[in-house]
Amino acid sequence: MEESEIQNIIGFENRGIFSDIDTRYNFGIVTLRTEGSTDTVHGIFHQTSVNVLRSIDDVALEIPARILKEYSPEARIFPNIEDQQEVAVLNKILQTPPLATEIEGA
């Protein structure tokens, strides 16, 4: 994220998209530029049709890159955020140190 500009993250559920692949599989598409850095990502998850690709700028959520970096830094799991309010809540939660963090003098 520091050396490229991630533009979009789109998460799909395979509900008829690939008929020869089990419907329980999920997959994603990431679009990026190989220069710059990422401050905000357009993201949308749980999609069941590729038609969303035509209107991604209109339907995607604005997700600060900080959320994607700090949500699960070791496993590199991105949260499946469903609305802009969840973005705000996660942003607030991630402002506090994790429970396992030792804070000097505390």
Side-chain angles (χ1 to χ4, degrees):
M1 290 186 162
E2 288 79 23
E3 297 177 15
S4 62
E5 180 188 353
I6 298 175
Q7 298 165 323
N8 301 297
I9 298 176
I10 307 146
F12 291 93
E13 297 176 2
N14 187 36
R15 308 272 180 211
I17 297 173
F18 297 108
S19 59
D20 293 337
I21 299 176
D22 192 296
T23 60
R24 293 173 289 182
Y25 282 96
N26 294 328
F27 64 95
I29 294 175
V30 177
T31 61
L32 59 98
R33 291 177 193 233
T34 57
E35 57 186 31
S37 62
T38 304
D39 295 322
T40 303
V41 174
H42 290 95
I44 192 165
F45 305 94
H46 303 292
Q47 299 304 295
T48 57
S49 169
V50 294
N51 291 335
V52 70
L53 298 173
R54 292 187 180 109
S55 60
I56 190 66
D57 291 334
D58 298 327
V59 297
L61 304 170
E62 295 286 326
I63 305 170
R66 187 176 74 77
I67 289 176
L68 300 177
K69 289 178 191 174
E70 296 175 15
Y71 178 78
S72 178
E74 290 162 15
R76 301 278 190 207
I77 297 170
F78 289 171
N80 286 323
I81 300 170
E82 303 223 4
D83 59 44
Q84 204 63 48
Q85 185 175 0
E86 283 184 48
V87 172
V89 169
L90 276 174
N91 200 24
K92 187 76 169 171
I93 289 170
L94 292 171
Q95 289 176 2
T96 60
L99 292 175
T101 302
E102 290 193 31
I103 302 172
E104 188 175 323

